[in-house]
Amino acid sequence: MSKKIILSGIQSTGNLTLGNYLGAINNWTKMQEDYDCHFMIANLHTLTIRNDPETLRQNTLNLLALYIASGINPEKSNIFIQSQVASHAELAWVLNCYTYMGELSRMTQFKDKSAKHADNINSGLFTYPVLMAADILLYQADLVPVGEDQKQHLEITRDIAERFNKIYGQTFKIPEPYVQGVAARVMGLQDPTSKMSKSSTLENDSILLNDEPEVILKKFKKSVTDSENIVRYDKENKPGISNLITIYSAITGKTKENIEKEFEGKGYGDFKTAVANCVIEELKPIQEKYKELKENPDYLEKIFRRGAERAYTIAHKTLEDVYKKIGMVWF
Ligand code: ATP
Ligand code: LTN
């Protein structure tokens, strides 16, 4: 039997956070053996906010290096850059015409991002989920491993695909979200009620994957907790400590109960240091590999060229099917 197909992506908006790593990439690396995986760098999606062109180019290549440094093996999984496979933008246009304004205006991410970028509420931000639907549907993906926050985008992808299939007959596979792991939603260290995010403007709120050990320790030490001084999981009343427990659990594999026992009678200071140390240890080999890869741009170019070719072969087939079905004149 052929393997199930996986597709996922991350926007190349800047330095990745521990949230991106624990909620997304770390799960991807575990799936490579059992699935046919496509991991994309969503650089077209980043255009929904303003970027400096050179920074965006660098961020895209940095993310490629980081995928590999984090353990995505380009010999096993296909890694590619979204803008290099034209079918994504082409299918997105078609799907735009099968998506309703009402559906898009219900998207939480749209509401959050338009509040954050009130001076630039562009139509790309509004139709962002349609491009994401195109990314997924082009590859006939079975599963899409993402963090909790992207579930709503998966639901709309399914709705669009079902609508299209109903009109034109079986065209797209209906994908399932694959939200797994204890760290599907890592929260900010300063504001543990909102998710840790690359674009957070709060100082010390996010751990970045390229943070130096001292910086990581400092950020954890400064993280917001409560005054109880008991390491106990209670998301409602102790969001800060609960978030640290989640991080510690995701990295060490220990259960929440075991963590509570381990730190019984110890204060938050000890616990914060332990969490910081396990994060530092986890990131160390990734940071080393990343530096090595950055010194080898030719290798990175080889990977993205090959990735784009492989991706195009699959994506173009789906697009051809769609174009023929909807009445575009084919060659
Ligand atoms: P931005 O701040 O630019 O919106 P982001 O940090 O939210 O970016 P995305 O590129 O939107 O990152 O998301 C990439 C992947 O990381 C997605 O699968 C998303 O669900 C996951 N992810 C992002 N933030 C977290 C988090 N705090 N906890 C768990 N998973 C996360
Ligand atoms: N919107 C996603 C990034 C993304 C994505 C995708 C994820 C773009 N295209 C396709 C999974 C599948 C996000 O994480 N913010």
Side-chain angles (χ1 to χ4, degrees), residues 7-12 20 24 28 38 40-43 45 67 82 88 109 113 128-129 131-137 143-147 149-150 153-154 157 195 198:
L7 179 128
S8 199
I10 296 183
Q11 298 186 68
S12 45
N20 300 129
W28 301 354
H38 300 277
M40 181 188 79
I41 293 153
N43 61 341
H45 275 107
Y67 276 9
Q82 186 185 31
H88 291 246
Q109 182 175 302
K113 296 242 158 152
Y128 179 112
L131 177 58
M132 179 160 161
D135 298 336
I136 297 166
L137 299 176
L143 294 173
V144 182
V146 281
D149 61 306
Q150 294 299 312
H153 289 163
L154 257 291
T157 299
K195 74 162 193 161
K198 287 187 225 114

Side-chain angles (χ1 to χ4, degrees), residues 8-25 28 49 109 113 116 128 145-150 183-188 194-200:
S8 199
I10 296 183
Q11 298 186 68
S12 45
T13 29
N15 290 321
L16 288 210
T17 69
L18 188 63
N20 300 129
Y21 176 71
L22 295 177
I25 299 191
W28 301 354
I49 57 166
Q109 182 175 302
K113 296 242 158 152
K116 224 167 166 180
Y128 179 112
V146 281
E148 185 80 34
D149 61 306
Q150 294 299 312
R185 197 173 183 83
V186 176
M187 309 308 274
S194 57
K195 74 162 193 161
M196 184 182 284
S197 149
K198 287 187 225 114
S199 52
S200 171

Side-chain angles (χ1 to χ4, degrees), residues 83 110 233 328:
S83 64
F110 172 67
Y233 190 88
M328 298 295 110

